[in-house]
Amino acid sequence: MQKLVYTDIKATFGLSAQPAVRVIEKTVDAYAALQTNLTAGNRGKPGSKRWLKATGTPITFRPEAAQPFDDRCLSWQHDARTVSIWTVQGRLKNLGYTGHADQLKTLVQYRRGESDLICRGGRWYLIAICEVPDPEAPAAALAWGEGGCDPWPSCRRGQSEARRSVNDRAHKLGRSRPRR
């Protein structure tokens, strides 16, 4: 798909390389999701009203839908707590960001890959992906088995109580959860 439309998209919309690739990727993903839903029967049987509507309508994107940015289109200046974002009107620089002290520390240490820019209620949010490693299990817990859970009745009783608690909450909300 990229070979077919890449040059036209760049020329028509004035996009640089990375945003053009992201537009193509987002569109391909949307059509792949539609095909998966059609194959799974989530849009009804072929020829049904829902199926015809899904296949006869072009895919569109909401203006407020999340837009992915990677490090080629977005750069973080952690010391100044600012970010620079590429837009079709040019690069927006020195956009301030904030968060809880622990969140900011996690952002500096573990941010990886892409970030998503979203607009909700007229406010813009930048959601960063952080790959935080799993904490090491204490040595004493490993002696009892995986995840520190021992095979004794106390552990099994805790699982039963947790399951019962989830079922009780579902019942209070008017939802039924099948019992095992």
Side-chain angles (χ1 to χ4, degrees):
M1 175 68 125
Q2 184 171 325
K3 288 181 181 180
L4 295 173
V5 297
Y6 174 78
T7 306
D8 290 338
I9 286 177
K10 280 186 66 172
T12 303
F13 299 103
L15 299 177
S16 62
Q18 191 59 26
V21 169
R22 297 305 242 169
V23 166
I24 296 165
E25 179 185 30
K26 191 169 182 171
T27 305
V28 167
D29 288 347
Y31 278 99
L34 172 62
Q35 186 58 49
T36 300
N37 280 313
L38 292 171
T39 303
N42 296 337
R43 298 294 182 258
K45 294 181 181 180
S48 70
K49 189 175 181 180
R50 288 181 66 214
W51 190 89
L52 290 172
K53 181 178 178 186
T55 58
T57 307
I59 290 180
T60 59
F61 298 97
R62 297 180 327 269
E64 68 277 2
Q67 297 302 315
F69 285 85
D70 66 9
D71 288 340
R72 289 168 275 200
C73 297
L74 177 112
S75 62
W76 297 84
Q77 295 79 38
H78 295 294
D79 294 339
R81 276 201 205 152
T82 61
V83 67
S84 170
I85 300 175
W86 183 91
T87 70
V88 292
Q89 283 85 26
R91 187 165 284 278
L92 296 176
K93 297 180 180 181
N94 301 319
L95 300 170
Y97 67 88
T98 189
H100 186 275
D102 292 338
Q103 293 170 331
L104 295 172
K105 185 177 175 184
T106 299
L107 181 68
V108 170
Q109 289 180 320
Y110 301 113
R111 190 198 61 77
R112 301 286 182 272
E114 69 181 35
S115 302
D116 290 331
L117 182 65
I118 62 171
C119 183
R120 294 291 184 265
R123 299 190 72 171
W124 291 94
Y125 298 92
L126 188 58
I127 301 172
I129 305 299
C130 294
E131 292 181 16
V132 180
D134 290 332
E136 296 278 334
L142 293 176
W144 289 105
E146 187 177 342
C149 183
D150 65 27
W152 301 106
S154 62
C155 186
R156 287 192 297 275
R157 184 178 67 240
Q159 290 172 353
S160 296
E161 289 172 4
R163 190 178 309 113
R164 191 169 30 257
S165 172
V166 168
N167 286 332
D168 290 345
R169 274 187 257 134
H171 179 70
K172 286 178 185 175
L173 293 172
R175 300 179 190 139
S176 62
R177 182 169 178 226
R179 298 216 183 243
R180 295 182 189 185

